[in-house]
Amino acid sequence: MPDASSRPLSSSLEFAPSVVILGIALAGSSAGSQPPPRVFVLQPDDLVETRRRLQANDASLLPALNKLKRDADRALNGGTFSVVHKELAPPSGDKHDYMSIAPYWWPNPNTPNGLPYVRRDGEVNPERDQTSDRRRLDNLVQAVKTLALGYFFTGRDDYAAHAARLLRAWFLDEATRMNPHLRYAQAVPGRNLGRAVGIIETHNLPELVDAAGLLAPSKSWSSEDQRGLQKWFDAYLAWLRESPEGSAEAKAQNNHGTWNDVQIAAFALFLDKRDIARKVLSEMPEARITKQIEPDGRQPRELERTQAWSYSLFNLEALFNAAALAGKLGSDLWSYESPDKRGIRKALDWLVPYATGEKKWNYQQISGLQPEKLAPLLRRGAVRYREPTYERTIDNLPKVTGDERWQLLFPK
């Protein structure tokens, strides 16, 4: 959205050079000799398990792998992305500063020049992607994730090489790098030059950090590249924690606050600043779970939106990611419950009957309900809670085809 118990590692993962798995060559040195990837939102044991099952010719994963390869091949043909590619400069005059337009604000029909813009919640103004860096950033994250996963599961270093080029162009190269702040994000014409809520536009950067971890064994991603990326995220983390915009977003009581915390925790873990991550995650039960989830599992701050289903899933995804991050520190948010039974699992359970059609969705969802969007959260729930009914629910959802990316990230 623009605004939305783990298993032990296998000890016998041995990939011979050039072994063919389901028609895919795993090139290079033995994957079994590599340590588990350094990832934070994703689970390294899940990724290693998927790769082991591919080695064992598990046909159930073939559709998802083939789609991933097609996506990675397309990404190879794409160019690089940069904030300096925009035509207009932000108010600072520096094209290295990220700039975007608020998605739900439209020209004012009652004024000659359309100013100040007026809000239409859930309705995206097409100007957003015509005049801002948001689409470039999203395209960057999606391409790097796809290429890094393609490299991890197939060993093809051309995937890793292009992912490395994309990362260097956006974060490292002096001519094209982004300055590490979002001062001009989600501006509203006629009202402001940028807003704290624009921080939501980097909500998927923790996934990009994970992607960089998948690239570590590649000769295309050097220790110098890694240090440069860490330096950028160190500066961005400082801005998130110290700027007026970051301070305001941290106080948000809906998905914005949750995703802000996830970003801070993920970047802090990436930088090995575990005390920062531990602090923000230790506050999650009271600050986010208890305040955002009702005892029956409803998320009222998301249900008041015109895209109530989408935002309920969006916030729950952030809470799932927070639980994954907390697990890296030995903390269990998955099973946390307040005295009156508010918890992450309760929020997932509340959504299930609406996805299956057992209950009618009576809240607004102006883009139409998409029950299949709950499937990746159900899979993560099935794995973490060891709950087979979640898996059976996935089997009964429409439009779940078996080739989705999450089938590889969160294996049964």
Side-chain angles (χ1 to χ4, degrees):
M1 298 297 298
D3 206 50
S5 75
S6 60
R7 295 182 299 275
L9 288 172
S10 171
S11 60
S12 59
L13 296 176
E14 297 182 357
F15 284 71
S18 303
V19 67
V20 176
I21 297 177
L22 300 174
I24 309 301
L26 289 180
S29 63
S30 170
S33 66
Q34 298 174 3
R38 187 171 183 259
V39 293
F40 305 102
V41 173
L42 295 175
Q43 299 296 316
D45 50 331
D46 286 348
L47 295 170
V48 172
E49 170 68 7
T50 294
R51 194 164 59 181
R52 182 199 66 78
R53 287 170 56 183
L54 291 173
Q55 180 195 26
N57 294 315
D58 186 338
S60 69
L61 295 174
L62 181 58
L65 179 63
N66 284 340
K67 187 176 188 304
L68 172 63
K69 287 186 73 271
R70 292 194 298 271
D71 292 343
D73 288 342
R74 281 194 294 271
L76 278 178
N77 297 319
T80 58
F81 308 98
S82 168
V83 290
V84 303
H85 292 165
K86 55 181 172 284
E87 294 183 7
L88 299 176
S92 64
D94 185 354
K95 283 192 173 184
H96 292 271
D97 288 342
Y98 182 98
M99 178 179 72
S100 67
I101 302 298
Y104 301 151
W105 291 78
W106 293 71
N108 192 329
N110 299 319
T111 60
N113 62 0
L115 301 178
Y117 275 29
V118 294
R119 190 168 187 259
R120 291 158 54 178
D121 186 39
E123 301 179 44
V124 176
N125 182 346
E127 288 183 63
R128 177 189 67 168
D129 292 328
Q130 295 168 359
T131 60
S132 76
D133 291 314
R134 190 212 67 89
R135 182 180 290 276
R136 295 183 187 89
L137 177 60
D138 189 60
N139 287 342
L140 167 81
V141 174
Q142 299 309 318
V144 171
K145 284 165 46 181
T146 297
L147 291 162
L149 286 166
Y151 164 70
F152 181 82
F153 289 126
T154 72
R156 283 183 51 177
D157 203 71
D158 55 339
Y159 290 158
H162 191 51
R165 282 192 290 271
L166 294 174
L167 288 171
R168 285 191 287 265
W170 191 276
F171 296 102
L172 306 182
D173 295 343
E174 288 296 327
T176 55
R177 69 190 295 269
M178 171 186 162
N179 291 331
H181 69 79
L182 290 182
R183 197 168 295 124
Y184 306 111
Q186 289 209 8
V188 180
R191 294 181 183 271
N192 53 61
L193 301 178
R195 301 181 300 154
V197 295
I199 290 172
I200 198 71
E201 295 193 357
T202 53
H203 77 275
N204 55 7
L205 283 187
E207 300 176 63
L208 184 139
V209 165
D210 276 5
L214 299 178
L215 297 175
S218 171
K219 64 181 184 295
S220 298
W221 185 247
S222 69
S223 57
E224 182 180 359
D225 292 329
Q226 181 72 6
R227 286 192 297 270
L229 190 66
Q230 289 178 317
K231 182 178 179 180
W232 191 96
F233 274 96
D234 195 23
Y236 187 54
L237 176 61
W239 184 83
L240 284 176
R241 299 181 68 222
E242 299 168 8
S243 68
E245 294 88 349
S247 297
E249 192 72 343
K251 296 174 183 176
Q253 297 296 306
N254 63 354
N255 66 82
H256 281 260
T258 316
W259 281 110
N260 180 77
D261 291 354
V262 167
Q263 290 188 67
I264 288 174
F267 304 153
L269 287 172
F270 177 56
L271 299 167
D272 204 25
K273 296 186 175 185
R274 297 170 69 86
D275 287 346
I276 294 175
R278 184 175 287 108
K279 182 178 186 300
V280 70
L281 291 169
S282 69
E283 294 169 351
M284 271 271 185
E286 178 62 30
R288 305 301 176 200
I289 296 174
T290 300
K291 290 185 178 180
Q292 294 179 352
I293 301 171
E294 292 295 298
D296 66 356
R298 288 178 296 121
Q299 300 174 68
R301 291 177 176 85
E302 312 307 328
L303 292 175
E304 67 187 16
R305 304 296 297 273
T306 63
Q307 300 277 15
W309 172 258
S310 298
Y311 275 107
S312 294
L313 269 58
F314 188 52
N315 191 54
L316 187 55
E317 180 188 0
L319 291 169
F320 271 43
N321 289 355
L325 294 167
K328 304 299 190 296
L329 298 171
S331 179
D332 183 9
L333 288 182
W334 294 106
S335 58
Y336 167 81
E337 277 192 343
S338 66
D340 58 354
K341 305 300 182 182
R342 302 165 191 253
I344 294 174
R345 185 171 184 177
K346 186 67 71 68
L348 176 62
D349 289 343
W350 188 83
L351 292 165
V352 169
Y354 298 104
T356 60
E358 181 183 345
K359 290 185 178 180
K360 182 180 179 181
W361 186 257
N362 291 319
Y363 303 90
Q364 289 192 79
Q365 179 64 22
I366 60 176
S367 66
L369 206 68
Q370 295 177 296
E372 70 276 7
K373 297 295 185 181
L374 187 61
L377 297 180
L378 286 167
R379 171 61 58 76
R380 294 173 75 175
V383 173
R384 301 307 154 204
Y385 296 116
R386 294 180 169 85
E387 179 51 71
T389 60
Y390 292 149
E391 197 64 44
R392 290 195 291 271
T393 300
I394 294 174
D395 293 339
N396 292 324
L397 292 180
K399 299 183 181 179
V400 175
T401 60
D403 65 354
E404 297 88 359
R405 184 79 53 87
W406 53 265
Q407 304 277 6
L408 300 172
L409 303 182
F410 313 112
K412 288 185 182 180

